[in-house]
Amino acid sequence: MIVSRRIVLRFPRRLVDRPIVYWLIKDYNLEFNILKASVTPDEEGLMVLELRGEQADYDRGIRYLTEAGVRIQSLSQDVIRNEERCTHCGACITICPTYAFEVDPVTREVSFYGDKCIACGLCIQACPPRAMELHF
Amino acid sequence: MAKTIEEINKKLESGRAVVVTAEEIIGIVREKGLERAAQEVDVVTTGTFGPMCSSGAYLNIGHSKPRIKLGGGRVYLNDVPAYIGLAAVDIFIGANALPEDDPRNRVHPGEFNYGGGHVIEELVAGKDVRLVATAYGTDCHPRKKLETWLNIRDVNEAVLFNIRNAYQNYSVAVNLSDRVIYTYMGILKPGLGNANYCSAGQLSPLLNDPYYKTIGIGTRIFLGGGIGYVAWPGTQHNPDVLRNEAGVPKRPAGTLAVIGDLKQMKPRWLMGASMQGYGGTITVGIGVPIPILSEEILGYTAVTDADILAPVIDYSEAYPQRKGDVLGEVSYAELRSGRIVVRGKEVPTASLSSYPRAVEIAVTLKEWLLAGKFRLTQPVAPLPGVESGVTFKPLKERPLEE
């Protein structure tokens, strides 16, 4: 079974200069799409990846990353809609490049699909009540 | 069948009144016809919840000991400057005011994460707000400096007073240029990349009473989750615009100035907002009840999104340069479908005003009416109508002489 997941990887300082992701392709036969990559001022590496492959390869790949010291989190835990502030206006709808927001044609309520989100952050500025939060 | 407001209030008191929302009335009229619906329905409730920049609040903070005369000095609430060209302790905070150290658009586009609208929201939420003031000192008001926490429950009066709200229809904003632009109508992508609109359409108060036959000065309304009143026609009130056969304006037209006790309001209905690259503002919830005094008035409330047309305007050139060009007209039904066609191109649409919240306001107002918490009022004077001669004039600039 093929699985595809969006995950956030945090590389501790000692791993920042190592080609960790390269080994994911080579040894674990996984496809990846880099959605975001950066090195923070305290030299921690952060990468948002879409990782795709056979479930068994995927699981082995994740185990390899964890054992190497990379912290892994699902992307959906990092981009959050503050439900108290969202007014369901829909200003985010046309701004999101991956169509992660959808309006219900009847109720006009806006749904946020975290699994489609690539954490680009465009919705954060486009949201007038500032309901979208990025927690990296 | 003509009813009076007094008769409807009596029915509301006796629990026999029929109250429906401006959304529900559409189906009722379709099913029963105008005549029967007008006999059965007594009140239609409307609602709108969108960013409304010309909003603000005034407070009388009470006199300090020794006294201070803030008028002519400076006052900040959470670093946001308030207007104090008034007496000793009356201050006004505008929704668009920004802290002096806010970078604004120095690095474009600015974020405008905190301004007067957010101060009002925090006051309404019952949060303590930091007041810092300086004054010049007088014999009767010797104090020159005041720094204190301020809470809405402790001030004498806290009044929301918005001089232009609830626009009757509004333009649809697009961008014909080749760069992203940041406007009060949101972020507009280049080359007709998106279209933003801002009206509750078929639920919007003034679109349900296009000729201002029931909404006037003194009309009691839902305002920010509390009870308010129409104080005056709003600024830029412009009744004499293009209208369809049914009288529905096809351009931005009437507006309302509204007033109400801020202490009764709720942060859910009065929310600070940030328009990237443009400024801070506030999202205001307004609901207006329309008494069904005649079949004609009921007919107006049955308006649907398909009947209401809005002009499409280019905000990269036509709007800023005040050119009259309209790229076309689209209905709110088309806008809500998610796509409109402009110059032969399919353009995805997004709303800045919240339709679900507009529904919630109309339903809340209906519940208030049915529960006997809210009575209808007879306006004390009408809003200027189509024949009034009131127009929306541009600035006539006259260069200062040497």
Side-chain angles (χ1 to χ4, degrees), chain A residues 32-43:
Chain A
F32 68 90
N33 181 14
I34 299 177
L35 304 171
K36 187 176 231 157
S38 62
V39 177
T40 62
D42 54 3
E43 295 177 45

PDB file of all heavy atoms in Angstrom, chain A residues 32-43:
ATOM      1  N   PHE A  32       9.995  12.170  -2.232  1.00  0.00           N
ATOM      2  CA  PHE A  32       9.671  13.296  -1.357  1.00  0.00           C
ATOM      3  C   PHE A  32       9.538  14.580  -2.160  1.00  0.00           C
ATOM      4  O   PHE A  32      10.071  14.718  -3.258  1.00  0.00           O
ATOM      5  CB  PHE A  32      10.708  13.467  -0.246  1.00  0.00           C
ATOM      6  CG  PHE A  32      12.056  13.900  -0.744  1.00  0.00           C
ATOM      7  CD1 PHE A  32      12.358  15.262  -0.854  1.00  0.00           C
ATOM      8  CD2 PHE A  32      13.012  12.978  -1.103  1.00  0.00           C
ATOM      9  CE1 PHE A  32      13.595  15.662  -1.315  1.00  0.00           C
ATOM     10  CE2 PHE A  32      14.255  13.385  -1.565  1.00  0.00           C
ATOM     11  CZ  PHE A  32      14.547  14.733  -1.685  1.00  0.00           C
ATOM     12  N   ASN A  33       8.765  15.494  -1.556  1.00  0.00           N
ATOM     13  CA  ASN A  33       8.589  16.820  -2.141  1.00  0.00           C
ATOM     14  C   ASN A  33       8.839  17.810  -1.012  1.00  0.00           C
ATOM     15  O   ASN A  33       8.164  17.769   0.022  1.00  0.00           O
ATOM     16  CB  ASN A  33       7.151  16.937  -2.678  1.00  0.00           C
ATOM     17  CG  ASN A  33       6.913  18.288  -3.333  1.00  0.00           C
ATOM     18  OD1 ASN A  33       7.856  19.023  -3.627  1.00  0.00           O
ATOM     19  ND2 ASN A  33       5.656  18.614  -3.546  1.00  0.00           N
ATOM     20  N   ILE A  34       9.873  18.659  -1.186  1.00  0.00           N
ATOM     21  CA  ILE A  34      10.200  19.600  -0.109  1.00  0.00           C
ATOM     22  C   ILE A  34       9.268  20.798  -0.204  1.00  0.00           C
ATOM     23  O   ILE A  34       9.243  21.501  -1.211  1.00  0.00           O
ATOM     24  CB  ILE A  34      11.661  20.084  -0.212  1.00  0.00           C
ATOM     25  CG1 ILE A  34      12.600  18.877  -0.089  1.00  0.00           C
ATOM     26  CG2 ILE A  34      11.968  21.118   0.881  1.00  0.00           C
ATOM     27  CD1 ILE A  34      14.054  19.228  -0.238  1.00  0.00           C
ATOM     28  N   LEU A  35       8.471  21.022   0.825  1.00  0.00           N
ATOM     29  CA  LEU A  35       7.526  22.135   0.832  1.00  0.00           C
ATOM     30  C   LEU A  35       8.137  23.368   1.489  1.00  0.00           C
ATOM     31  O   LEU A  35       7.757  24.479   1.205  1.00  0.00           O
ATOM     32  CB  LEU A  35       6.253  21.723   1.559  1.00  0.00           C
ATOM     33  CG  LEU A  35       5.564  20.470   0.987  1.00  0.00           C
ATOM     34  CD1 LEU A  35       4.441  20.015   1.886  1.00  0.00           C
ATOM     35  CD2 LEU A  35       5.036  20.739  -0.409  1.00  0.00           C
ATOM     36  N   LYS A  36       9.071  23.119   2.379  1.00  0.00           N
ATOM     37  CA  LYS A  36       9.692  24.250   3.077  1.00  0.00           C
ATOM     38  C   LYS A  36      10.966  23.744   3.741  1.00  0.00           C
ATOM     39  O   LYS A  36      10.985  22.617   4.229  1.00  0.00           O
ATOM     40  CB  LYS A  36       8.712  24.752   4.147  1.00  0.00           C
ATOM     41  CG  LYS A  36       9.138  26.012   4.851  1.00  0.00           C
ATOM     42  CD  LYS A  36       8.057  26.462   5.817  1.00  0.00           C
ATOM     43  CE  LYS A  36       7.731  27.901   5.579  1.00  0.00           C
ATOM     44  NZ  LYS A  36       6.428  28.304   6.017  1.00  0.00           N
ATOM     45  N   ALA A  37      11.998  24.577   3.727  1.00  0.00           N
ATOM     46  CA  ALA A  37      13.224  24.183   4.424  1.00  0.00           C
ATOM     47  C   ALA A  37      13.902  25.427   4.948  1.00  0.00           C
ATOM     48  O   ALA A  37      13.974  26.432   4.255  1.00  0.00           O
ATOM     49  CB  ALA A  37      14.150  23.447   3.464  1.00  0.00           C
ATOM     50  N   SER A  38      14.374  25.365   6.192  1.00  0.00           N
ATOM     51  CA  SER A  38      15.090  26.518   6.726  1.00  0.00           C
ATOM     52  C   SER A  38      15.989  26.096   7.880  1.00  0.00           C
ATOM     53  O   SER A  38      15.827  25.012   8.447  1.00  0.00           O
ATOM     54  CB  SER A  38      14.091  27.577   7.220  1.00  0.00           C
ATOM     55  OG  SER A  38      13.321  27.042   8.259  1.00  0.00           O
ATOM     56  N   VAL A  39      16.952  26.963   8.172  1.00  0.00           N
ATOM     57  CA  VAL A  39      17.800  26.749   9.339  1.00  0.00           C
ATOM     58  C   VAL A  39      17.553  27.935  10.256  1.00  0.00           C
ATOM     59  O   VAL A  39      17.625  29.081   9.827  1.00  0.00           O
ATOM     60  CB  VAL A  39      19.292  26.662   8.942  1.00  0.00           C
ATOM     61  CG1 VAL A  39      20.150  26.523  10.192  1.00  0.00           C
ATOM     62  CG2 VAL A  39      19.522  25.492   8.000  1.00  0.00           C
ATOM     63  N   THR A  40      17.184  27.634  11.494  1.00  0.00           N
ATOM     64  CA  THR A  40      16.828  28.711  12.424  1.00  0.00           C
ATOM     65  C   THR A  40      18.095  29.333  13.002  1.00  0.00           C
ATOM     66  O   THR A  40      19.178  28.742  12.902  1.00  0.00           O
ATOM     67  CB  THR A  40      15.953  28.166  13.560  1.00  0.00           C
ATOM     68  OG1 THR A  40      16.723  27.203  14.267  1.00  0.00           O
ATOM     69  CG2 THR A  40      14.697  27.520  13.032  1.00  0.00           C
ATOM     70  N   PRO A  41      17.972  30.524  13.631  1.00  0.00           N
ATOM     71  CA  PRO A  41      19.157  31.180  14.178  1.00  0.00           C
ATOM     72  C   PRO A  41      19.911  30.314  15.189  1.00  0.00           C
ATOM     73  O   PRO A  41      21.121  30.417  15.296  1.00  0.00           O
ATOM     74  CB  PRO A  41      18.582  32.437  14.850  1.00  0.00           C
ATOM     75  CG  PRO A  41      17.305  32.697  14.138  1.00  0.00           C
ATOM     76  CD  PRO A  41      16.776  31.359  13.734  1.00  0.00           C
ATOM     77  N   ASP A  42      19.207  29.425  15.901  1.00  0.00           N
ATOM     78  CA  ASP A  42      19.964  28.569  16.825  1.00  0.00           C
ATOM     79  C   ASP A  42      20.415  27.272  16.143  1.00  0.00           C
ATOM     80  O   ASP A  42      20.673  26.264  16.792  1.00  0.00           O
ATOM     81  CB  ASP A  42      19.178  28.308  18.128  1.00  0.00           C
ATOM     82  CG  ASP A  42      17.793  27.746  17.853  1.00  0.00           C
ATOM     83  OD1 ASP A  42      17.477  27.519  16.671  1.00  0.00           O
ATOM     84  OD2 ASP A  42      17.037  27.539  18.816  1.00  0.00           O
ATOM     85  N   GLU A  43      20.455  27.355  14.810  1.00  0.00           N
ATOM     86  CA  GLU A  43      21.023  26.289  13.984  1.00  0.00           C
ATOM     87  C   GLU A  43      20.270  24.979  14.041  1.00  0.00           C
ATOM     88  O   GLU A  43      20.822  23.913  13.807  1.00  0.00           O
ATOM     89  CB  GLU A  43      22.511  26.086  14.298  1.00  0.00           C
ATOM     90  CG  GLU A  43      23.325  27.318  13.926  1.00  0.00           C
ATOM     91  CD  GLU A  43      24.790  27.147  14.302  1.00  0.00           C
ATOM     92  OE1 GLU A  43      25.328  26.076  14.015  1.00  0.00           O
ATOM     93  OE2 GLU A  43      25.360  28.094  14.868  1.00  0.00           O
TER      94      GLU A  43
END
